[in-house]
Every structure is written in C-alpha cells, then in structure tokens.
Amino acid sequence: MPRALQWDIFCRVIDNHGDLGVCWRLSRDLASRGQRVRLWVDEPRALSWMAPQGAPGVQLRPWQEAETLTEAPQPATQVMVEAFGCELPAAFVAATVQAQRGRPGHAPAPAWINLEYLSAEPYVERNHALPSPVLLGPAAGWTKHFFYPGFTPRTGGLLREADLLTRQASFDAPAWLVSQGVAAEAHTVQASLFCYEPAALPGLLTHWRQAGHHGRPVNLLVTAGRAWGAVQACGLPLNEGLLRIHPLPYLSQLEFDHLLWACDINLVRGEDSLVRALWAGKPLVWQLYPQDDGAHEDKLRAFLDLSTLPPCAQAWQAAWNPVQTPGATALPVPYPDAQAWAHWQAQALDLRDRLLAQDDLASQLIGFVDKSG
Ligand code: TRH
C-alpha cells in the first residue's frame, strides 16, 4: 500500500475552465485514494458549480495566502504539484525549505511535480518523468520532475476515478435526460455541445435541422457559457425541423459526466472534457484550445492517430479546428452515413477499452512519489 501523503497542488486559472477542472478532479481523485490534499487556487469561483459539495480530504486554500506565508503550513507538505507550468509561490517554497532544514535528521525534501498539459504527441513519452534540478533560490539542490498525462503506457496516463466503471454501470440515461427536461424517445439522437466558437457550427446546426441524424430527430444539449453563446450567435429558432436545442445550466463535474454518458455523440473542447468523452465511449468531436502558432494542429493529428476513424469523422475534426486564417470560409461538416457512423462508434469503444487497460494518472502519481520518497 502506498503511504498517505500530504499534497499541495497549485493552480492558476488562466482562462476557461480546464486548469481548475483538471486540478480539482486530480485533488478529488487523490483524496479518494487516501491522500490528503491542499488545493491552492487564485480564482476558485467556478468550483461553486463544478464541485458544489466539495470533497472529503480536499482542503481549498487561496493562492494569495501562499504568497505571504512566513511559516510552512502544517501538516508539512510531502508532494508539491505545480499544474501547467504555474510557478510555486516563492514564499511557500521558502517556508517549506526552512521547515525542512529545521527538522531533525535528514528529513527528505518533498517531491516536486510539474504537471504538464495532455497531448498524444511523441515528445510526451520522451519527456515523461524527467528530472529537472532546481538551480536557484532557497530550494537550490532540490529536484522537480515533469509528469505528462498521456495515452500510452509510457506516459502518466489519464485521470480516471476508481469508481468510474461502477458509476457508469448503474447510470440510467433516459431518467437523467428527463431530469434535465429533455424528451428521451428512443428514436431521437442526443448530442452534447461544449465548444468555443467553431466556424463550422452554423453548418452543422443547419444540417441537423434539415436532415437530422439519418432522418432521426436530434436533441442538442448545449452547455452553459461560450457554447451557448456560440449557438445563440447562429440565430436559429430553438425548435425547428429535426433539431431541438436545449440550453443547460452549469453542471457539476459529476453531472457533466452524466451528460456525456447520456448522449450518442459528444462535441467537447480543451483537455478535461476530452478525457471524460473518451470514457463515455461514444463518437466525439474535439475542439482544441486554439494556439496562435498552430501547435494545436499537431496535437489534433497525434490524437486522431490513436484510432482509425472513418474519413468523414476526420474531416469533421478538421472543419471543427480550421487553420486560423483571417477571412477564411468555414469548411462544411461532412456528416457520416450509417456505415461510417457504425465504424466511428466501434472505434470509440475500442479506444476506450485500450485506455482503460492503462494505469490512471492519480495512481501513477501516487506510485511515482512513493517510489521516489
Ligand atoms: O474550459 P476548457 O476549454 O479548458 C481549456 C483547456 O483545458 C486547455 O487545455 C487550457 O489550455 C485552457 O483551458 C486554458 O475545457 P476543459 O479542459 O474540458 O475544461 C472544462 C471543465 O469544465 C471540465 O472539468 C468540465 C467542466 N464543466 C463542468 O463540470 N460543467 C459544465 O457545465 C461545463 C460547461 C464544464
């Protein structure tokens, strides 16, 4: 059994919800495995809807407090995690070093993890778990380690709670849809939308309005925030032709999973919702966080290479993540026919099965720091 350790996870919210979404999910997952977690966040407001109940074993602390510490918080930290390259507050590091030197004997330095962004690109396997000596400041001589989430056994894996499969097995999709005010007739196709502002969105909505999903009506469940803003900007009636559009309130992370499990296709964005959609095992379309240097294109290609999706699914992905050229017209979404759809569904289940066979991120992290301690 790995030791129960005191973790300090640091999260800066840059924009959107992914930074906090991942850090919260990791904190909760570690705590559910017997670890103690302090989560330091500079902007925690989104937790009021993402995690309204909090989680046993996770203590939320304001980042600002860590910037003015003069004494290390107790119990003493044993693992420090800087998420997505956020630098640990200097006062926290200084106080931690001072406390460690003040302890009798040779108290080990805490493990120091730099948790990176998720990608399927080859550099992830090369860089995963590499050490990086700290050269300057009070912690000079200590060592950080890079920890890369990923999709192969030679990476840090994906966040996957120990009870995920049990929760999925007892989930009642029609009852959940009804609880959201959505009709759950068997012939209707349910689709979820969590996106930025994809240029191809109006074309997709028009397709569904006119042709549905192979002639079947489509319920589009639209998440709160930017996705709903993007749908409103299309200026379509909520209920016309074969498309019915349902705006959702902000959901907790647990309910967000339910949304993805209840749908036949999930359009997701960013990092955390991608992983959740993978566990849902349904066809998914991923909108990547767009980067000015076009780096998201390589990231998308590497992700698509994990499966053999039908060409129209790949073309949909390309239309959903166009090269950023000002004034370019939106690519149409090539809608899969019945055969391509069945192929896409099978690929989604196959990728889920392969990923389920790998160790998850929280247990890999626990094993890593336990071994190095
Ligand atoms: O919000 P995002 O676009 O976050 C992004 C990415 O993480 C990206 O990699 C990062 O660089 C950028 O932020 C700064 O997408 P993501 O990662 O899917 O995070 C969304 C979180 O919000 C996820 O934890 C799910 C949660 N969520 C809910 O729990 N309920 C909801 O109703 C909604 C809309 C989201």
Side-chain angles (χ1 to χ4, degrees), residues 17 28 43 60 84 101 219-220 251 291 311 353:
H17 308 308
R28 195 163 59 89
E43 177 41 277
L60 193 61
F84 310 122
R101 295 213 175 114
N219 279 337
L220 181 64
L251 303 172
Q291 279 157 318
D353 286 349

Side-chain angles (χ1 to χ4, degrees), residues 4-366:
L5 299 174
Q6 175 64 52
W7 297 63
D8 283 279
I9 299 181
F10 286 84
C11 172
R12 264 191 192 284
V13 176
I14 307 295
D15 58 2
N16 299 308
H17 308 308
D19 310 289
L20 189 52
V22 169
C23 289
W24 176 261
R25 201 180 285 289
L26 172 64
S27 302
R28 195 163 59 89
D29 200 355
L30 288 168
S32 77
R33 295 164 199 264
Q35 307 294 310
R36 294 181 303 271
V37 182
R38 283 184 292 248
L39 172 61
W40 304 81
V41 185
D42 60 348
E43 177 41 277
R45 267 181 298 183
L47 287 177
S48 65
W49 48 267
M50 242 185 231
Q53 318 293 344
V58 181
Q59 205 188 93
L60 193 61
R61 302 284 282 265
W63 176 291
Q64 295 74 0
E65 184 191 320
E67 280 176 334
T68 53
L69 284 174
T70 48
E71 275 182 37
Q74 293 302 319
T77 189
Q78 290 165 295
V79 190
M80 311 186 293
V81 178
E82 50 188 31
F84 310 122
C86 76
E87 295 230 332
L88 296 188
F92 180 89
V93 176
T96 300
V97 170
Q98 205 179 26
Q100 190 252 0
R101 295 213 175 114
R103 283 202 294 275
H106 288 283
W112 190 338
I113 302 288
N114 187 336
L115 180 67
E116 282 290 343
Y117 286 102
L118 173 65
S119 175
E121 290 163 280
Y123 72 82
V124 168
E125 285 194 351
R126 285 198 303 274
N127 295 353
H128 175 57
L130 285 185
S132 165
V134 179
L135 301 175
L136 298 172
W142 289 10
T143 303
K144 295 187 199 186
H145 284 91
F146 290 101
F147 211 87
Y148 281 82
F151 300 89
T152 61
R154 289 169 58 198
T155 69
L158 302 173
L159 280 169
R160 189 181 75 233
E161 304 78 24
D163 64 353
L164 179 85
L165 297 184
T166 329
R167 283 202 295 128
Q168 272 186 336
S170 62
F171 176 63
D172 181 343
W176 187 83
L177 288 164
V178 170
S179 76
Q180 299 300 312
V182 178
E185 306 101 355
H187 70 293
T188 301
V189 168
Q190 316 290 345
S192 74
L193 180 67
F194 178 46
C195 60
Y196 307 114
E197 292 78 24
L201 180 62
L204 174 65
L205 298 188
T206 302
H207 173 89
W208 271 336
R209 205 180 63 214
Q210 293 170 349
H213 176 87
H214 310 146
R216 294 162 61 190
V218 174
N219 279 337
L220 181 64
L221 284 78
V222 184
T223 55
R226 283 176 75 170
W228 176 235
V231 168
Q232 283 180 306
C234 296
L236 294 175
L238 293 190
N239 193 349
E240 193 175 79
L242 287 169
L243 177 63
R244 274 169 290 173
I245 299 175
H246 300 268
L248 294 168
Y250 277 111
L251 303 172
S252 68
Q253 282 191 334
L254 287 174
E255 288 284 53
F256 189 79
D257 271 349
H258 294 161
L259 167 68
L260 303 182
W261 301 347
C263 285
D264 302 291
I265 177 166
N266 292 308
L267 290 84
V268 291
R269 75 179 201 200
E271 178 157 331
D272 191 50
S273 55
L274 169 69
V275 176
R276 307 322 290 179
L278 287 166
W279 298 139
K282 309 288 180 60
L284 72 88
V285 179
W286 184 26
Q287 189 179 21
L288 287 82
Y289 188 69
Q291 279 157 318
D292 293 340
D293 58 1
H296 60 280
E297 288 172 58
D298 294 337
K299 201 166 175 166
L300 175 61
R301 174 58 31 222
F303 172 71
L304 292 178
D305 285 348
L306 296 172
S307 315
T308 48
L309 293 178
C312 56
Q314 303 211 25
W316 186 340
Q317 280 288 174
W320 218 238
N321 294 280
V323 184
Q324 310 267 297
T325 33
T329 49
L331 296 167
V333 165
Y335 207 78
D337 62 16
Q339 197 187 0
W341 179 248
H343 178 178
W344 196 356
Q345 286 176 311
Q347 282 295 308
L349 285 174
D350 176 69
L351 181 55
R352 176 179 184 271
D353 286 349
R354 282 185 283 133
L355 295 173
L356 281 174
Q358 296 173 18
D359 288 339
D360 67 274
L361 179 70
S363 47
Q364 288 211 53
L365 260 176
I366 292 170

